[in-house]
């Protein structure tokens, strides 16, 4: 994901970097890139996660169980994960910008088509196609930023992009939750699909062409060689596993918290459940802040603290008062986006070559965690209620913490 080839243990040659004309924070192009990626991050996560607050509605309308209803999200993230294995290496061969523009456009069109689907299987097919399309954005975004932005500001740029993700996730959930209380849920599908289409056009117009991209042939043999190289790096293997655990815990929380809050003793409306996604704003702050803290305290320590926050937040949600549930969600969200910002940036620093492929492998674990753990959480909800869901998330976080201890040792 980083366009400058250097070992993480060696100091960066800043004079050499200046000569390569990387974009710096004061440059006009920096603002264009930052705004472009904030917008595309917002649109991507809005399309991916807007179904989350209406999972109970989908359960009722299509007469499916909570675990089956969660497939509307899990299939999207699962297909996105599989698509990453293709779109990352593809962008290494054909370039970054075109892959991202085409991907977001396709996802917007499929979403609009989803508004007219009347069968559950039709909805699931559309959601799978949306996830597959969005893989082209997810696989390439951080790679482009690391290649074009000066390394001194790359972590900040990636943090801002992830902040766009958090705002998008919040906005998609918020808009859908509010609309579903007053209009058919399909209205929100049309609205968000249209927004994503406009975002794709804006992104195409605003984003500068890559200057540091170097095409590498798309050869299966090369892909396999690079794949083995990535997994030989113990740190990368641990980061790939972390992505699965972190996202798995986070998405499970938001998949089933709506079911809990719609039932007794809360009986909250769909609008209020959608409004709870405002806790994503804490992620907007923490993702950016974590990038800055790593240069001062090291990635390992910041990651340990972030995962600890996720575990603490999850435990707090077990307590019945609504303020405790909200506080726990907020702490978990803050920790998640901080951990994701640190871990995703760390992958770029450790990968020696084929960084888009390394980024794709990290995100493969990330979205596989969303798909697999997000669906498994439904089983825990069905049999054990919220305490079972919280225990499941806590187990994921304990394993993630143990892996981060090993990563912390590697950094020393």
């Amino acid at each position: 994901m980083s366009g400058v080839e250097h070992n993480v243990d060696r100091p960066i040659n800043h004079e050499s970097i200046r000569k390569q004309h990387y974009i710096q924070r004061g440059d006009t192009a920096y603002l264009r890139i930052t705004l472009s990626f904030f917008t595309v991050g917002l649109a991507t996560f809005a399309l991916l996660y807007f179904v989350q607050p209406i999972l109970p509605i989908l359960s009722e309308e299509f007469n499916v169980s909570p675990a089956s209803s969660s497939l509307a999200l899990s299939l999207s993230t699962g297909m996105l994960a599989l698509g990453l294995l293709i779109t990352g290496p593809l962008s290494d061969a054909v370039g970054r910008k075109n892959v991202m523009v085409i991907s977001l456009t396709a996802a917007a069109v499929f979403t609009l088509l989803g508004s007219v689907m009347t069968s559950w299987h039709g909805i699931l097919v559309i959601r799978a196609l949306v996830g597959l399309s969005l893989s082209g954005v997810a696989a390439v975004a951080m790679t482009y930023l690391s290649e074009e932005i000066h390394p001194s500001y790359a972590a900040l740029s990636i943090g801002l992009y992830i902040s766009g993700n958090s705002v998008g996730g919040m906005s998609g959930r918020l808009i859908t939750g509010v609309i579903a209380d007053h209009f058919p849920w399909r209205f929100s599908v049309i609205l968000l699909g249209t927004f994503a289409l406009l975002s794709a056009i804006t992104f195409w117009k605003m984003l500068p062409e890559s200057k540091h991209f170097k095409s590498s042939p798309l050869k299966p043999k090369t892909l396999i060689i690079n794949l083995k190289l990535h997994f030989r790096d113990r740190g990368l293997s641990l980061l790939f596993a972390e992505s699965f655990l972190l996202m798995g815990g986070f998405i499970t929380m938001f998949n089933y918290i709506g079911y809990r809050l719609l039932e007794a003793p809360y009986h909250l409306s769909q609008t209020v459940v959608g409004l709870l996604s405002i806790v994503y704003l804490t992620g907007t702050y923490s993702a950016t802040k974590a990038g800055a803290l790593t240069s001062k305290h090291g990635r390992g320590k910041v990651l340990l603290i972030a995962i600890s926050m996720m575990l603490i937040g999850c435990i707090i949600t077990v307590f019945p008062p609504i303020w405790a549930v909200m506080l726990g969600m907020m702490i978990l969200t803050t920790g998640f986006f901080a951990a994701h910002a640190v871990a995703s940036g760390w992958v770029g620093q450790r990968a020696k070559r084929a960084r888009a492929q390394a980024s794709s492998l990290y995100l493969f674990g990330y979205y596989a965690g969303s798909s697999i753990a997000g669906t498994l959480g439904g089983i825990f909800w069905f049999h054990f209620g919220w305490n079972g869901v919280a225990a499941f998330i806590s187990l994921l976080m304990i394993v993630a913490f143990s892996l981060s201890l090993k990563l912390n040792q590697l950094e020393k």
Side-chain angles (χ1 to χ4, degrees), residues 144-374:
Y144 176 98
L145 290 171
S146 294
E147 286 178 343
E148 303 301 320
I149 303 294
H150 189 287
S152 298
Y153 309 113
L156 176 61
S157 299
I158 291 172
L160 289 170
Y161 164 66
I162 293 175
S163 295
N165 292 347
S166 70
V167 173
M170 178 196 72
S171 301
R173 291 170 172 88
L174 182 60
I175 290 169
T176 307
V178 172
I179 288 177
D181 253 353
H182 304 282
F183 303 96
W185 60 269
R186 296 176 190 274
F187 282 22
S188 59
V189 180
I190 296 171
L191 180 63
L192 292 170
T194 303
F195 168 73
L197 193 58
L198 294 174
S199 297
I201 296 170
T202 303
F203 187 67
W204 172 54
K205 292 289 187 181
M206 286 185 64
L207 188 70
E209 297 291 341
S210 300
K211 292 183 178 179
H212 299 281
F213 167 73
K214 293 181 180 179
S215 177
S216 58
L218 189 62
K219 297 179 179 179
K221 184 178 179 180
T222 303
L223 294 178
I224 293 172
I225 291 172
N226 289 333
L227 184 68
K228 291 179 179 178
L229 178 69
H230 295 323
F231 278 101
R232 284 197 193 105
D233 186 308
R234 187 162 175 256
L236 284 177
S237 297
L238 291 171
L239 288 167
F240 299 155
E242 287 281 32
S243 66
F244 179 96
L245 297 164
L246 295 172
M247 186 56 164
F250 176 72
I251 209 67
T252 299
M253 168 69 70
F254 281 89
N255 271 4
Y256 302 103
I257 195 69
Y259 286 97
R260 181 190 184 191
L261 296 177
L262 288 170
E263 293 183 350
Y266 307 103
H267 295 297
L268 299 183
S269 68
Q270 194 67 53
T271 296
V272 174
V273 171
L275 284 170
L276 292 179
S277 62
I278 200 169
V279 300
Y280 266 54
L281 290 176
T282 62
T284 304
Y285 170 78
S286 66
T288 307
K289 186 67 175 178
L293 288 174
T294 55
S295 60
K296 184 176 181 181
H297 302 288
R299 293 181 178 86
K301 290 181 180 178
V302 177
L303 185 60
L304 282 168
I305 293 171
I307 295 173
S308 299
M309 290 179 67
M310 291 185 69
L311 178 59
I312 292 168
C314 176
I315 293 171
I316 291 175
T317 64
V318 173
F319 295 95
I322 187 64
W323 65 263
V325 177
M326 277 290 295
L327 177 62
M329 291 171 64
M330 190 177 301
I331 294 173
L332 181 138
T333 301
T334 302
F336 168 73
F337 280 101
H340 175 42
V342 173
S344 59
W346 205 342
V347 169
Q349 293 296 318
R350 291 200 67 93
K352 304 300 186 296
R353 64 183 185 190
R355 288 185 167 90
Q357 186 182 21
S359 174
S360 294
L361 289 170
Y362 172 84
L363 291 171
F364 174 82
Y366 182 87
Y367 290 109
S370 172
S371 183
I372 296 171

